Amino acid sequence: MVQPPPDLTRYDDNDDTDSVGTSLAHQDMSPPDSPSSLRAASPPHAPPQRLHKPLTRVQRERTREAWASPELAAGRSNNISPRAFHSLRDGTWLQDEAIHRFLRLLVARDAFQASLIDAHRPSFVFTSFFMTQLLNMGDLDPTVQGSYSYSNIQRWSRRVPGQDVFALDKLFLPVNVNRSHWMVIVAFMQEQRIQAYDSAGATNTRFLQATLRYLADEHQRVHNRALPVQDWSLCESTPATPTQLNGYDCGVFTCAFIDCLLRNDTPTFSQEDMTQYRRWITLSLLENQLPIG
């Protein structure tokens, strides 16, 4: 199916601390993941799958030009910085602007599909600023840093379709861990399950617990009754979760996790797919829409 251009008019470009549909303030550039923190690769339980169809020769050439001249690519794009395009090159830690802008397109695709199929519940993706603010991860006060604060993000759900996260299929919370590693927490709302997808195989208990606590507070505020938290399960990354084999592809893996899960596919891609997927993200940002296939 040909994907239409995303409807970006529903987003407020003056708000930089909300969903992936808004304009983006940039987090600091971060060092790559420490290779010593990466677990050994575990074979997936299902055969590896292609994330998308291979790009055409013309499309590959466009991405090569963008990587060779990020400044020129930025001038041709929809207000995306040269730094974002530079970070899409192989061997580079993916910058937050590139991730957020790409996730914005994924949300638009999902919203379009939900508008066509009545039985398709929409999903939603918040920016990484959600977890940063929920846990005061950027606060300079050491007595506040890391502490849970629902009041910091209680208005964020106004961007969600229907303004009710509990009506969603999935809620995605990408996390920039210590400004050095990307992973994503996924709340499967109808299954009452919260799962971490981390290409380094790290333990993410605090993010899982913070997400459940957020959902409990949100349920009390929106529905005026307690959430039955005992019915919810918290799951760390499993051995079947695709694993990065270098210190810089965590952001690309995170985008791929969200892309697959939004399409209700099981993530079974591998490190070998990441160069192709970087090109796919690059082309998406150049055209301000997802390529077909």
Side-chain angles (χ1 to χ4, degrees):
M1 178 184 296
V2 176
Q3 300 293 341
D7 177 11
L8 304 182
T9 60
R10 61 187 289 264
Y11 300 120
D12 178 4
D13 285 337
N14 294 318
D15 186 352
D16 63 7
T17 59
D18 213 312
S19 69
V20 293
T22 62
S23 63
L24 304 165
H26 308 316
Q27 296 174 352
D28 294 337
M29 279 296 289
S30 312
D33 314 89
S34 169
S36 63
S37 70
L38 303 180
R39 70 175 180 184
S42 299
H45 292 171
Q49 63 185 20
R50 285 189 180 275
L51 281 164
H52 296 283
K53 292 192 305 185
L55 298 180
T56 66
R57 182 184 61 80
V58 172
Q59 289 173 326
R60 291 196 303 272
E61 182 60 32
R62 290 198 65 196
T63 63
R64 278 194 292 268
E65 291 174 353
W67 291 359
S69 181
E71 292 78 12
L72 183 60
R76 295 173 176 174
S77 69
N78 184 28
N79 197 30
I80 299 174
S81 71
R83 186 175 68 162
F85 279 108
H86 182 275
S87 75
L88 285 161
R89 295 170 170 174
D90 263 337
T92 307
W93 200 77
L94 200 56
Q95 195 256 347
D96 65 293
E97 180 190 4
I99 291 175
H100 290 155
R101 293 297 288 265
F102 177 67
L103 296 182
R104 176 179 183 168
L105 298 177
L106 295 182
V107 169
R109 179 189 66 189
D110 185 76
F112 174 71
Q113 292 172 342
S115 71
L116 295 179
I117 307 172
D118 291 338
H120 181 92
R121 285 182 181 268
S123 295
F124 206 71
V125 186
F126 285 134
T127 68
S128 61
F129 301 117
F130 178 94
M131 193 63 75
T132 297
Q133 294 194 17
L134 182 66
L135 293 180
N136 287 294
M137 290 161 62
D139 201 295
L140 298 179
D141 184 348
T143 65
V144 176
Q145 191 176 64
S147 62
Y148 176 89
S149 180
Y150 175 70
S151 62
N152 285 351
I153 47 76
Q154 65 178 352
R155 295 189 305 143
W156 282 50
S157 60
R158 74 189 192 277
R159 293 288 179 177
V160 172
Q163 300 187 11
D164 185 359
V165 298
F166 298 95
L168 297 174
D169 182 37
K170 305 177 190 74
L171 178 64
F172 295 85
L173 306 177
V175 184
N176 188 347
V177 185
N178 298 324
R179 296 200 300 269
S180 62
H181 176 63
W182 287 97
M183 54 81 61
V184 62
I185 297 292
V186 185
F188 295 83
M189 301 304 297
Q190 306 311 309
E191 300 175 23
Q192 298 182 313
R193 173 169 57 92
I194 304 171
Q195 183 163 345
Y197 288 83
D198 190 328
S199 58
T203 299
N204 292 284
T205 305
R206 64 169 174 152
F207 300 129
L208 292 167
Q209 292 177 340
T211 302
L212 181 58
R213 186 174 175 183
Y214 159 72
L215 292 177
D217 286 338
E218 183 74 3
H219 196 273
Q220 185 66 52
R221 183 183 69 83
V222 175
H223 295 283
N224 198 31
R225 63 181 184 273
L227 180 73
V229 294
Q230 69 278 4
D231 294 339
W232 286 72
S233 59
L234 305 182
C235 307
E236 295 284 358
S237 282
T238 70
T241 302
T243 305
Q244 65 186 97
L245 301 179
N246 57 42
Y248 46 80
D249 270 336
C250 56
V252 191
F253 272 83
T254 297
C255 289
F257 288 140
I258 297 172
D259 187 3
C260 281
L261 292 168
L262 277 171
R263 292 185 279 119
N264 294 318
D265 288 340
T266 300
T268 58
F269 48 84
S270 70
Q271 179 68 61
E272 295 178 356
D273 298 305
M274 291 303 102
T275 296
Q276 168 77 2
Y277 199 61
R278 281 179 179 269
R279 293 186 182 280
W280 207 79
I281 296 174
T282 302
L283 188 64
S284 298
L285 298 187
L286 284 171
E287 298 182 346
N288 197 34
Q289 64 179 4
L290 301 178
I292 300 171

